[in-house]
Each structure stands twice: as structure tokens, then as C-alpha cells.
Amino acid sequence: MARINGNFRKLAAGYLFPEVARRAASFQKEQPNVKLHKLGIGNTTEPLPPSIIEALHAKVDALSHAATYSGYGDEQGSTALREALSGYYRSINVQIQSDEFFISDGAKADAANLQQLFTEDCTVAIQNPAYPVYVDSNVVAGRTGSYNDLIGGYRNLVYLDGREEDGFFPKPPKEKVDLIYLCSPNNPTGAVATFDQLRSFVDYARAHKAVIIYDAAYAEYISDPNLPKTIYQIPGADECAIEINSFSKFAGFTGVRLGWTIVPHRLLAEDSQPDELHKFWFRRQCTFFNGASNIAQAGGLAVLSEGGLAECRAVIAYYMENARIIREGLKRSGLTVFGGDNAPYLWVKTPKRMRSWDFFDLLLRQCHVITTPGSGFGSCGEGYIRISAFGHREAIAEAVASIEHTLAKALEVLHE
Ligand SMILES: *Cc1c(COP(=O)(O)O)cnc(C)c1O
């Protein structure tokens, strides 16, 4: 008799994005002539730069000849790509050996899978608000109790609250935890950890033999030289941190699919032998994964070339100009805006202490703009909405103009 994994039943009802889509569709049905503007989705919109396209084409052509065809590659990823990644880290003075990189088909699956390295009874701490995969993968693995509506979170999970006064990046936990998930620049808040903030987590992890899973998917959006782009810029992090990263937001590979995870040789858990976590992740990937697409990896190699990097950074600059336009427009509308300086997300405080979903509905129905309610990312997101800077410039400008023209009136009506 097969028995179902009942942990799936614990998952908090309704995933955030389908509910956003449902409300938008329902409004559009009521008002079919209204044009809705999208500032909600964390998805890239601009085409891949020419040198990346050229490399992808060249790899496809190579597959069409017997002499240059290739089938399965190394489970850990192509040596050339891992060496290029090692060089990419070296350019910011961080030494990672090429065999410490594990190429994958994206950071999200790695974020979900890494918990398999650790026991079922370990205590998990998660940044609040956060990208949903860290929580949900641990719920399904059975590390949490049920969802508690009163606290707006799962029992037995330690939530690390990101507060406005700390720049929305949390402090290390007071109690002893075993696994810690951090994301910087953070999705949804756009907050970036400072060197001191990251150092406090590395110190905590080394003192408690905890392991940090650090999601740096937006590292390339950091332009401030005083902010760390990788956790390995903190001395000692290679003993206590796994870093996941991705070509998705870095190079527009959201659909192409390519990411990487660093499991250092020096990484230790409380009871692990030296190098054991690295070996176990290698073993896991060899059995459960057959490698990332060779076409995508050829594209990734082109991204890391000098020309490719410059082209990808120009696309990032385009999105960051969108972020600036959004921030200026929202400020002119009287809103309080955080993030968007070193991340493609803006974290907007709701006016008049409105709840996230109420402000979402007001922006949808009165301003015709789709956003994402902050409360969908955790209890600390209540009272905020997330606005994404991904989008074509014209569409972004239209959305911002729509808010500028209609918000004041809509809020007045609300007050009456
Ligand atoms: C978009 C995103 C990723 C990227 O995931 P992929 O599977 O590589 O596309 C990872 N982490 C965060 C926080 C993200 O927002």
C-alpha cells in the first residue's frame, strides 16, 4: 500500500503567484477594456545579447555533426565552465577551486535539494520575508510542524525577521539552529547584506557548527563596491556556507536554465568528516541528476567571457534604470520605497497601514497595476508590496505614470 507524503498537506494554502493571477483575471473579466500594467513578475524580459546567442547557435551546430556531437557530459558540469566560474570569483579576490562548483539547471532546484544533505531533525532558520522554496522544501522534507495562521508561519521553523531598522536583513538567531537560509540581494525586499551583517552570520555558524545556504542569484545587480557579492568574501565562510547562484537573472537564462552551487572542500557539519559534505553532494548529483544542458553550458561560458560579461551587465543596467524610474515615480506619489539600488526589486510600504493584499487590490482596481503582496513571502512582508523592475522600458514608464495619475485620488476615496 503506497502512502502519500502528508507533509504536502501542510503547505500553506494557495501559492502566491496563482492568487495574483486569479485576482488580475477576475478584474480583467469585469473590465475587459482596461489595460493592466505588470510590475509583479520576477522574470526577465530583454533578449539575450549577441555574443551569447552566437555561442548557443554554435553549440547547436556542433551537435549536428558526428565529429563534434556530444551526449552526456560530466554530472558536475563542463570543466571549462567550472574553470571560468573560478576565474569569475577570482576577479573579486575569492579563491574557489573549479571542482568545488556544481553546475545545475538552476538555483531553485538546488535550493530545494540541498536539504537532503542534512538530518531530518535539524532545526532550520529562514530569513523572513523570503523566496518560498527554502520554506516549502523543508516542509515537504518533514522538518516543520503545521502552518499556524496566528503567527503566519510554520511551527518548529525559526524565522529570522528582517526589520526596517536593520535594512530588512535579519540578525543571527538567539537560539541554536543547524541550517540557515539567507538570500542577498533578497527577493522580495531588494535588501543587501553588509559585510558586518554577513560576518555576524558566519561567526554564528562557525560557533554553532551550523551550515548557511546562501542564495546569491542577484549578486550581479550589486553596484555598490562596499557590499559583498558572495559570502566567501567573509573569511571562514568556506567552512560553514554553501552558495547557490544562477545565470537566470545574471544573464537572462530564466528560460535557458543554468545555475551553479559551491560546496567547498572545507565545509563542515557538526558531525561530518573533512570533505564529506562535498563528496556527498557529488554523490547525490551523480545519482539523481544527469547534468545541465550542454547548449546552456556553452551559453554560460560565453556569459563569463569578457565581451559576454559586458553585454550582460548592460542588460542589468537597463533593468536598474527601470528600478530608478519606478522609485522616482513612486516617491513622487508619496510612497515610501526601499530596495531597488542593488537589486531589481523595490519594497514599498503600504500607505495608511493598509494590509498587503488590500493595497494590491487598490493598485489593481484603481491604478490598473499588478504588483506582488509582500505578505505572500512571509509574515514580515505584511504591510509591503514588491515591485519588480523586470520589464520593457515603455511598459514600466506607463505603469509608473498610471500610479502617479491615480493613486492620490484612490487613497482619498479610501479615506472617505
Ligand atoms: C529567480 C531566483 C532564483 C533563480 O532560480 P533559477 O532556478 O536559477 O531560475 C534563485 N533564487 C532567487 C531568490 C530568485 O529570485
Side-chain angles (χ1 to χ4, degrees):
M1 187 168 66
R3 288 163 65 219
I4 197 165
N5 178 356
N7 291 318
F8 277 92
R9 295 197 186 105
K10 293 182 194 163
L11 291 176
Y15 188 52
L16 171 64
F17 293 101
E19 177 60 16
V20 167
R22 192 192 64 75
R23 292 192 190 206
S26 146
F27 174 69
Q28 192 76 86
K29 208 171 156 197
E30 284 168 38
Q31 308 244 7
N33 297 324
V34 164
K35 183 182 173 195
L36 285 178
H37 308 284
K38 295 185 184 125
L39 289 179
I41 301 164
N43 200 353
T44 49
T45 57
E46 299 311 297
L48 297 180
S51 72
I52 319 300
I53 290 292
E54 204 176 299
L56 293 171
H57 276 301
K59 185 64 189 178
V60 171
D61 288 342
L63 293 174
S64 70
H65 304 291
T68 48
Y69 170 83
S70 58
Y72 290 128
D74 289 346
E75 290 92 344
Q76 207 178 339
S78 90
T79 305
L81 181 55
R82 286 184 288 109
E83 281 173 355
L85 279 169
S86 184
Y88 169 75
Y89 279 78
R90 221 177 301 121
S91 72
I92 46 171
N93 293 318
V94 169
Q95 309 297 326
I96 313 275
Q97 296 171 38
S98 60
D99 72 345
E100 293 176 305
F101 291 92
F102 293 84
I103 308 300
S104 71
D105 57 2
K108 194 185 210 175
D110 284 354
N113 292 332
L114 278 163
Q115 48 78 26
Q116 292 172 9
L117 287 173
F118 304 97
T119 53
E120 200 185 293
D121 63 356
C122 61
T123 305
V124 179
I126 296 192
Q127 191 174 353
N128 179 13
Y131 190 52
V133 63
Y134 320 134
V135 171
D136 286 6
S137 57
N138 279 291
V139 171
V140 168
R143 289 198 186 86
T144 73
S146 54
Y147 190 81
N148 180 345
D149 277 319
L150 275 177
I151 60 164
Y154 291 90
R155 292 188 175 83
N156 307 338
L157 257 192
V158 175
Y159 289 93
L160 304 176
D161 293 349
R163 301 258 172 237
E164 186 178 329
E165 56 269 27
D166 298 317
F168 298 100
F169 195 80
K171 292 192 172 72
K174 296 209 167 59
E175 63 271 62
K176 183 184 181 315
V177 302
D178 306 309
L179 268 185
I180 303 169
Y181 288 79
L182 295 174
C183 178
S184 173
N186 182 257
N187 176 7
T189 61
V192 187
T194 63
F195 273 93
D196 282 344
Q197 285 173 324
L198 267 197
R199 198 175 295 117
S200 68
F201 273 93
V202 168
D203 290 348
Y204 173 95
R206 292 174 76 192
H208 294 88
K209 300 260 186 327
V211 171
I212 299 169
I213 296 177
Y214 188 74
D215 186 342
Y218 296 95
E220 270 296 320
Y221 288 75
I222 298 175
S223 55
D224 183 341
N226 297 315
L227 293 171
K229 285 187 160 184
T230 157
I231 195 165
Y232 302 116
Q233 281 171 287
I234 310 297
D238 56 348
E239 290 171 24
C240 64
I242 295 171
E243 181 162 298
I244 52 184
N245 207 322
S246 170
F247 289 89
S248 283
K249 316 303 167 21
F250 175 177
F253 276 33
T254 39
V256 177
R257 310 302 306 141
L258 192 68
W260 71 88
T261 284
I262 298 166
V263 184
H265 290 297
R266 288 167 60 87
L267 180 73
L268 285 173
E270 195 168 331
D271 57 350
S272 65
Q273 302 295 315
D275 206 27
E276 209 174 16
L277 283 166
H278 176 91
K279 284 187 183 138
F280 279 13
W281 186 247
F282 181 75
R283 182 69 176 78
R284 191 262 172 216
Q285 292 300 80
C286 288
T287 324
F288 296 177
F289 183 60
N290 254 339
S293 149
N294 50 17
I295 300 167
Q297 292 190 74
L301 197 54
V303 168
L304 297 171
S305 70
E306 203 177 312
L309 275 177
E311 287 176 339
C312 291
R313 285 171 178 160
V315 179
I316 288 173
Y318 176 92
Y319 292 132
M320 292 310 293
E321 173 63 8
N322 286 351
R324 193 193 63 77
I325 291 166
I326 296 167
R327 184 175 47 245
E328 298 303 310
L330 296 188
K331 281 189 173 169
R332 279 195 299 273
S333 305
L335 292 168
T336 305
V337 187
F338 302 94
D341 296 311
N342 294 282
Y345 296 113
L346 297 103
W347 192 236
V348 182
K349 202 169 188 159
T350 63
K352 301 179 190 269
R353 304 173 136 253
M354 288 174 82
R355 294 177 72 83
S356 298
W357 277 111
D358 293 338
F359 190 46
F360 167 89
D361 283 333
L362 181 140
L363 287 171
L364 172 66
R365 293 180 164 268
Q366 310 299 324
C367 307
H368 306 153
V369 173
I370 305 173
T371 59
T372 311
S375 55
F377 298 95
S379 59
C380 280
E382 184 56 86
Y384 295 88
I385 55 153
R386 186 193 78 173
I387 287 192
S388 160
F390 293 118
H392 304 312
R393 180 66 44 79
E394 221 171 90
I396 295 278
E398 278 178 18
V400 171
S402 181
I403 293 176
E404 279 197 70
H405 291 143
T406 54
L407 183 66
K409 187 79 193 292
L411 287 172
E412 246 174 60
V413 171
L414 187 82
H415 207 59
E416 279 161 10

